[in-house]
Amino acid sequence: MKITLRVWRQKGPEDEGRMVEYRLDDVSPDMSFLEMLDVLNEKLILEGEDPIAFDHDCREGICGMCSLVINGTPHGPEKATTTCQLHMRKFKDGDVITVEPWRAKAFPVIKDLVVDRSAFDKIIEAGGYISAPTGSAPDAHSVPVPKPAADAAFEAAECIGCGACVAACPNGSAMLFTAAKVTHLGLLPQGQPERYDRVVKMVEAHDEAGFGGCTVTGECTAACPKGIPLDTITRLNRDYLAATAGRRKKTR
Amino acid sequence: MAVTGAVLVLYLVAHMLGNLKVFFGPEEINEYAAWLRTIGSPVLHHEWFLWIMRVVLLASLILHITMAAQLTARARRARPARYRHRAKVQGSYAARTMRWGGVIIALFVIYHVLDLTTGTVHPEYEHGDVYGNLAADFAPERWYVTLFYVLAVVAVGFHLRHGLVSAVQSLGLSSPQRARALHLAASAFVVVLVAGYLSVPFAVTVGLVD
Amino acid sequence: MTDTFYTLGDPIADTKAPKGPIEERWSKRKFEAKLVNPANKRKKTVIVVGTGLAGGSAGATLAELGYKVIQFCFQDSPRRAHSIAAQGGINAAKNYRNDGDSVFRLFYDTVKGGDFRARESNVYRLAEISTQIIDQCVAQGVPFAREYGGLLDNRSFGGAQVSRTFYARGQTGQQLLLGAYQALMRQVDAGNVELHPRHEMLELVMVDGRARGVVVRNLVNGEIKTYTGDAVVLATGGYGNVFYLSTNAMGSNATAIWRAHKRGALFANPCFTQIHPTCIPVSGDHQSKLTLMSESLRNDGRVWVPVKAGDDRHPNDIPEAERDYYLERIYPAFGNLVPRDIASRAAKKVCDEGRGVGPGGRGVYLDFADAIKRMGIDAVKAKYGNLFDMYERITGENPYEVPMRIYPAVHYTMGGLWVDYDLQSTIPGLFVIGEANFSDHGANRLGASALMQGLADGYFVLPNTIGDYLATNNKLGEVPAEAVAEAESRVQAQIDKLLSIDGDRTVDSFHRELGHIMWEYCGMERTEEGLRKALQLIPALREEFWRRVKVPGSADDLNQSLEKAGRVADFLELAELMCIDALHRTESCGGHFRAESQDADGEAKRDDANFSYVAAWEWTGLGEPPVLHKEALEFEYVKPSQRSYK
Ligand SMILES: Cc1cc2nc3c(=O)[nH]c(=O)nc-3n(C[C@H](O)[C@H](O)[C@H](O)COP(=O)(O)OP(=O)(O)OC[C@H]3O[C@@H](n4cnc5c(N)ncnc54)[C@H](O)[C@@H]3O)c2cc1C
Ligand code: HEM
Ligand code: SF4
Ligand code: FES
């Protein structure tokens, strides 16, 4: 396959970036998208040019590190698939493909296609946990969890923290990411004591990080490689309203 | 947004029902319009209720728009650099047109008030004769006015379709089990509302009201 | 010994495990360990490198105890450590199924599964702690699979006779890691952990023979900086990427443990690597990593290759009579469910005979046609649907219609830095946990036991044992500036060298070539001849690397080529030690199969008389023969026996 790439190149956080065009004549349909970039990079290095920086690690769709906006869509055209699991057979010979980084103020570009997502860690840090110091746990069977709640919690917990939701959101909001964690922990009996405190702190951290406000446009779910459902956000809103309306006492 | 939006929705429903009175003839709708101005009397002075309503409405509208503007500004701040390649909408079309849709509706409302409330831009406005004003407004040769109304009402439909679902979600009232029902209900509501509104100019155009 | 590829040193022994009945040893050790006064804990700084299951759980727990923790990982967030990719599950001797499981049985299975090359005391402790791990994770909100009654579900895994594996769909590692990550972030919020993501450890700082700090490179701006403390914990994962292609993440590396090894920490059993039989085969030269397909597929799929070599007909056109279901033929009792190493080797053998299928002839069929006939397509879909989807996404083939192709791939490294019962390496103050140490798995790890070990080390073992070291070494004093300067200059020199060569080959091309050598000669089947060849090829490749490698860019910004170059440089040295270890161990055991040591049926033959020991290697300089220190293994509770799956 012949592929033309238009890639965002930016030397460093403070530099101006621009789109640069590259041509590849010998792309195998069996390659993954990132393997195609590997091939391009090998070529660039031997030509004495700077290879394209991009984030990736597991290449199995689970670590959440890969993060490319391909033809305007985070993680590219295939639904429920991370960039690293996208294969070139999804494209046609002769295609022109644009590749850009996640774009959000809270995700500043470090270099080329690599962005800084530490804002997500800040949101978790603010309250995305259950306080259960090591050694303090009762027997695992002391608290049964109804299967439907456990399954729903698991679905929300599947979030890989990639940030595609933010990249896709017209508001640059990270509400889906935040809501996924609020839902995961809020559905479990173990998560109840901190439930209302947690949601307030996490939303505050979300806003402080510079993410936009949620208007439930649903672009996030459409882009999410794990299909985190939009109603996690409803759940977050419900808990948030309950917490801020003072109907529940804060636990701390 | 959800709360001010709800006030506006209530108004839209009442307004639509009021408009339908046109089908019962000139007397009934004109009487209705006159009655609107006497609600609350003798406790309230003539037209006071209407003015209170107008104030609430205007306040809601302004708040609604202000908050929308703030969200938009925040969205701009949250994404200072735009994408070079704009993808097609993945979520819902209604959701992606809230902002432009809202602006168009606002412009429409201004025109609309000047047209049918104050008569400023109306060709042969006569105070108190709602029936006549409507008939004249949507006369077949003034098809462009009718078209504008139709477009505006459809825009309102889109705006509401997403607005309703979104409001329910913002208030945390939906759940996965009810999500489908919610979408269906919102769509049904919007279809009825749009149909109700459109029936009036349509009726004038085909000569049912004249 | 006529050979000079290594020399024999003094034996080494674990002095920390108490004697006495095995079930009392851990309690005894905890009681004997000195405690740090709570008021003093705040003044103790522990440096933790790595945020996987081992590092994440250790960092969180140490901070909860009151120590000051400084922690590093090379990814952009601690949540992305490679533990996230583990699929199958985690073992624990809860016996919730009442099927006869117990701590002793888990201990027994692990020692036996490790082919009698692990330390009994450690393995027993692991089994003992396993139950607490599940309690801890559930309390943190890890959403394990549950049954309708609301209690935890279990499954049997990797051929175990009891159902002791806890799981969260196919994402157990992810869920366990997120639990540890969240506990860690809670401590970051509390100000007890200072976290440095996108930092790579490149050197160990030592003072008076003790580990006192690390030199790290900030991967964003290239800054070289030293962090010091009272003890250093390495939790940096396995080194499977020495093979270039493996199921490990692209960034997984040996750098941290290798550089500690070069500072004096012994490296144990480096040649013990695990090959997983069910991975998606290589599709071409562009291949950058291999993807694991759950082992559970072998429960219903049938493995076969054409009878004739070079038969390139479409699999569906090959009649029954011309197919060889070789696992069922050779191992009628276990059939397609033989252990990982046996299934892997059998696949290699048929491919070597020219009967392999797919690109390059390196693959065998895993066929579900019979399962679909027997169970119906819907039942197959319900059971394996997501795996089939993943397979189709990667290969573009529909496994419901065309048999899957699978091939073995490197998956796990049992070897690692040598540690005693306290998980302390031979460098005082340097602790090693998780896959990075030589661990409790002997020569072969059982499925679902790595997660268990990582969390046991991090949540429960290290936090207890490190206190003993910190309490006994109470007056360590400041780290002298010369020690820091010396370590930093070594790091700087290597970076400068890499950038200055400006040769004509990319880092990846060297890595790929090294991978070929290792896979060919130090992979599933090893021979004296092959290993000797590898021991010539590797140093030559290393010499070429330092002459011809091209690393573009500069040292003071994000430079992924430079990061890779440093890692490959270490792999080029580690690979040699792996081959030396494999060459010296002339027996077959677990994941280490020496063609010279097999019985009449072609099964692995252990040599307990000569090799019942841990091989702990000492670094003596580049290209110099390393020194072998033997730790003799004693088996008081589980008597060594020969495996048989016929
Ligand atoms: C595909 C796959 C599936 C698996 N499935 C299972 C399973 O079902 N059950 C099971 O029990 N086991 C399984 N395993 C094995 C298990 O996942 C690993 O052995 C285990 O998770 C290792 O954990 P760890 O904490 O030791 O290391 P890792 O999780 O690899 O963490 C290493 C950490 O060290 C950091 N690091 C590394 N080098 C440096 C450096 N130089 N400087 C700074 N930081 C550094 C990394 O950033 C990372 O944070 C699987 C493994 C793979 C690859
Ligand atoms: C085809 C559809 C519509 C028709 C025929 C119609 C007709 C009218 C008429 C006749 C009046 C004047 C009533 C009076 O003076 O008592 C009026 C007022 C008004 N209409 Fe509409 N309308 C339509 C759609 C809408 C829509 C979609 C909106 C809102 C988005 C809207 C908002 C208003 C407002 C705000 C007023 C002024 C109320 C006041 O201040 O008294 N109308 N409309
Ligand atoms: S919610 Fe989905 S898109 Fe957002 S971070 Fe999580 S996995 Fe990625
Ligand atoms: S590289 Fe890990 S999810 Fe894509």
Side-chain angles (χ1 to χ4, degrees), chain A residues 167-205:
Chain A
C169 177
N171 298 313
S173 173
M175 210 42 94
L176 193 66
F177 167 79
T178 311
K181 190 47 59 190
V182 164
T183 302
H184 160 211
L185 300 177
L187 278 169
L188 296 171
Q190 299 89 319
Q192 297 310 309
E194 293 164 298
R195 176 168 166 192
Y196 295 97
D197 202 26
R198 173 185 310 125
V199 66
V200 173
K201 290 202 232 153
M202 288 180 75
V203 170
E204 273 168 10

Side-chain angles (χ1 to χ4, degrees), chain A residues 36-231:
Chain A
M36 175 196 58
L37 290 182
D38 290 343
V39 169
L40 173 58
N41 275 346
E42 291 268 285
K43 207 173 105 183
L44 291 178
I45 292 172
L46 291 179
E47 286 165 3
E49 282 184 58
D50 208 21
I52 302 163
F54 61 94
D55 262 334
H56 63 102
D57 198 25
C58 75
R59 298 206 176 182
E60 281 188 28
I62 190 73
C63 74
M65 191 107 174
C66 58
S67 44
L68 304 181
V69 174
I70 299 166
N71 285 342
T73 307
H75 289 311
E78 211 185 348
K79 287 268 175 246
T81 303
T82 54
T83 304
C84 60
Q85 293 278 286
L86 176 68
H87 280 71
M88 293 314 291
R89 66 179 77 88
K90 299 287 163 189
F91 296 90
K92 288 193 304 293
D93 190 23
D95 271 359
V96 179
I97 305 171
T98 31
V99 189
E100 296 175 78
W102 282 180
R103 293 204 186 274
K105 174 159 171 284
F107 289 166
V109 172
I110 293 174
K111 182 176 182 179
D112 296 341
L113 304 168
V114 175
V115 301
D116 177 357
R117 282 171 287 193
S118 48
F120 269 10
D121 289 326
K122 289 262 177 276
I123 294 177
I124 298 296
E125 190 186 318
Y129 47 74
I130 289 171
S131 301
T134 307
S136 62
D139 183 85
H141 268 178
S142 59
V143 189
V145 182
K147 188 169 165 56
D151 287 350
F154 174 82
E155 261 165 39
E158 275 188 291
C159 166
I160 57 174
C162 62
C165 44
V166 177
C169 177
N171 298 313
S173 173
M175 210 42 94
L176 193 66
F177 167 79
T178 311
K181 190 47 59 190
V182 164
T183 302
H184 160 211
L185 300 177
L187 278 169
L188 296 171
Q190 299 89 319
Q192 297 310 309
E194 293 164 298
R195 176 168 166 192
Y196 295 97
D197 202 26
R198 173 185 310 125
V199 66
V200 173
K201 290 202 232 153
M202 288 180 75
V203 170
E204 273 168 10
H206 168 276
D207 292 354
E208 228 164 74
F211 291 110
C214 174
T215 62
V216 222
T217 64
E219 292 290 313
C220 50
T221 320
C224 174
K226 298 292 144 180
I228 300 296
L230 202 57
D231 44 56

Side-chain angles (χ1 to χ4, degrees), chain A residues 8 19 69 71-73 79 98 100-106 166-172 206-207 210-213 215-219 222 230-231 233-234 237-238 241, chain B residues 1 71-72 74-92 95-96 99 162 165-179:
Chain A
W8 181 259
M19 302 297 289
V69 174
N71 285 342
T73 307
K79 287 268 175 246
T98 31
E100 296 175 78
W102 282 180
R103 293 204 186 274
K105 174 159 171 284
V166 177
C169 177
N171 298 313
H206 168 276
D207 292 354
F211 291 110
T215 62
V216 222
T217 64
E219 292 290 313
L230 202 57
D231 44 56
I233 295 184
T234 311
N237 286 330
R238 179 163 52 215
L241 285 179
Chain B
M1 296 231 62
L71 266 171
T72 310
R74 194 173 150 196
R76 291 266 149 81
R77 259 182 281 125
R79 175 161 303 125
R82 336 235 91 214
Y83 288 111
R84 297 305 164 99
H85 184 117
R86 283 192 58 163
K88 56 180 192 303
V89 173
Q90 305 285 319
S92 90
R96 285 308 287 267
R99 266 166 210 152
H162 177 69
V165 174
S166 171
V168 170
Q169 283 166 332
S170 298
L171 296 174
L173 298 175
S174 145
S175 69
Q177 296 78 27
R178 279 181 286 176

Side-chain angles (χ1 to χ4, degrees), chain C residues 117-135:
Chain C
R117 292 294 173 262
R119 230 185 250 154
E120 279 191 335
S121 300
N122 285 53
V123 177
Y124 192 89
R125 172 176 67 189
L126 177 63
E128 185 180 334
I129 289 174
S130 68
T131 60
Q132 275 169 281
I133 296 173
I134 302 302
D135 299 342

Side-chain angles (χ1 to χ4, degrees), chain C residues 11-20 25-26 28-30 32-33 119 121-122 125 418-428 431 438 465 468-469 630-634:
Chain C
I12 184 175
D14 167 27
T15 55
K16 302 282 180 41
K19 298 279 172 252
R25 290 181 192 167
W26 177 227
K28 209 157 144 194
R29 177 69 194 126
K30 278 193 286 186
E32 282 169 358
R119 230 185 250 154
S121 300
N122 285 53
R125 172 176 67 189
W418 185 91
V419 289
D420 61 17
Y421 189 68
D422 279 2
L423 303 180
Q424 185 167 213
S425 71
T426 46
I427 298 177
F431 292 78
F438 86 109
T465 56
D468 185 69
Y469 174 80
K630 295 181 183 177
E631 180 198 339
L633 292 168
E634 286 160 44

Side-chain angles (χ1 to χ4, degrees), chain C residues 250-261:
Chain C
M250 301 301 286
S252 298
N253 67 86
T255 291
I257 54 171
W258 189 251
R259 303 213 177 161
H261 171 61

